[in-house]
Amino acid sequence: MKNLIAFIVKYHHWFVFLILEVISAILLFQYNSYQGSVWFSSANVAAGKVYEWSSEVESFFSLTKVNEELTQRNTYLEHQVAKLSEKLSSISGDSAFMQSTQLKMLAQYKLIPAKVITNEISKPDNLITLDKGETDGVHKDMGVVSGTGVVGIVYMTSSHYSIVIPVLSSQSNISCTIEKRGYFGYLHWNGGPCSLAYMDDVPRHAHFRRGDNVVTSGYSSIFPEGIMVGKVGYVFNSADGLSYRVQVKLSTDFGRLRDVCVIADDSMKERLQLMRAAQDSTKVVR
């Protein structure tokens, strides 16, 4: 306390000077219209700048939520486009689209938005961790998609997190088809660039072109039909020469993957349970 009093006594003339300056400024701007208008304009400009900076900061921190909503909306719109394409083709008499039943189920899907918190792209068996788990409705064997296409399959879950086996894993095996061609195969990745995978077991008599879309076939119990996987690149012969091996340029950019959606659907779960029961009963018979 003594030090404070000594400091004030030592520099009291500066405090008196500042007080007089403040009083002078108040009298100047309050009783002189021109100076008052200048002060008012300057204060408004300063306040406007402060509000502008505050708005920019607030907008920056809200980008994460906006990105999640856009990813979910993107996925929904892709499904809607697929449904409209099916209806258009059925009107024009395209029997291949008329036989499609998976697209009619898309409206029943529940999409659970999730954020990628860890992502591997350089290992033979990469894994992705999501910030959603069982309490959010995520369970094993659910499909995971982004706004641009297939991501992978949920492999393991806890209360608040889940592990996904992505397309970029040697353990991944997703049934795909070449859109509008009807030929299907299985998508594999055995290392290499994270933008390329291969669809194996495509029949030798298949007719398709480079640049054709590759989508999910709907034959699995994980993904519905018509979800984008990528585009046909180069075509090779299989090791045994009995089928084609098609290079697929993946539509999902795994190097920049941030926001995804988990597909939750009761009918998919029922199909998976039935398939597993059939496989178990077959083993018993054997």
Side-chain angles (χ1 to χ4, degrees), residues 44-281:
N44 277 347
V45 170
K49 276 294 181 184
V50 171
Y51 286 133
E52 182 181 350
W53 293 337
S54 174
S55 176
E56 288 177 355
V57 171
E58 185 178 350
S59 298
F60 175 79
F61 285 106
S62 66
L63 285 177
T64 299
K65 182 62 177 177
V66 171
N67 199 23
E68 290 178 355
E69 293 174 354
L70 285 175
T71 299
Q72 187 173 6
R73 185 63 179 171
N74 251 0
T75 306
Y76 172 78
L77 289 175
E78 283 190 355
H79 289 168
Q80 294 302 310
V81 168
K83 290 174 68 178
L84 290 173
S85 297
E86 180 197 16
K87 291 179 180 179
L88 181 62
S89 298
S90 64
I91 292 173
S92 63
D94 189 339
S95 59
F97 276 93
M98 291 176 66
Q99 294 171 0
S100 175
T101 57
Q102 289 294 330
L103 294 178
K104 297 177 182 178
M105 300 167 59
L106 292 175
Q108 302 174 6
Y109 288 179
K110 175 186 176 183
L111 299 177
I112 304 172
K115 184 173 290 295
V116 174
I117 55 178
T118 65
N119 183 19
E120 301 170 343
I121 60 173
S122 59
K123 299 179 180 179
D125 296 314
N126 296 301
L127 295 174
I128 293 174
T129 306
L130 305 182
D131 66 346
K132 296 294 175 67
E134 294 175 1
T135 56
D136 306 292
V138 178
H139 300 286
K140 183 179 179 181
D141 294 323
M142 285 184 172
V144 182
V145 298
S146 69
T148 55
V150 169
V151 173
I153 300 171
V154 176
Y155 171 65
M156 188 180 296
T157 60
S158 64
S159 297
H160 303 290
Y161 300 95
S162 54
I163 302 296
V164 176
I165 294 179
V167 171
L168 302 184
S169 171
S170 63
Q171 304 300 315
S172 178
N173 187 27
I174 298 174
S175 177
C176 300
T177 184
I178 301 175
E179 192 176 36
K180 298 181 181 179
R181 305 290 182 177
Y183 303 107
F184 71 94
Y186 293 91
L187 191 72
H188 297 105
W189 185 80
N190 297 315
C194 63
S195 60
L196 299 176
Y198 294 89
M199 187 167 68
D200 296 319
D201 302 328
V202 178
R204 295 282 298 182
H205 62 271
H207 297 285
F208 53 89
R209 296 182 300 180
R210 188 177 179 184
D212 282 350
N213 288 339
V214 177
V215 298
T216 53
S217 65
Y219 292 155
S220 72
S221 301
I222 307 297
F223 292 103
E225 181 181 358
I227 297 179
M228 189 68 177
V229 175
K231 292 184 177 293
V232 172
Y234 295 103
V235 180
F236 309 92
N237 288 321
S238 63
D240 56 12
L242 300 178
S243 60
Y244 286 133
R245 191 169 197 248
V246 179
Q247 184 188 74
V248 179
K249 296 180 180 179
L250 299 174
S251 59
T252 299
D253 187 350
F254 286 89
R256 300 176 60 188
L257 195 61
R258 294 294 179 271
D259 297 282
V260 298
C261 287
V262 182
I263 302 174
D265 183 73
D266 291 336
S267 62
M268 286 283 185
K269 184 178 179 181
E270 182 180 350
R271 289 178 58 191
L272 187 60
Q273 291 174 344
L274 181 62
M275 182 175 293
R276 284 177 175 171
Q279 290 173 346
D280 292 340
S281 63

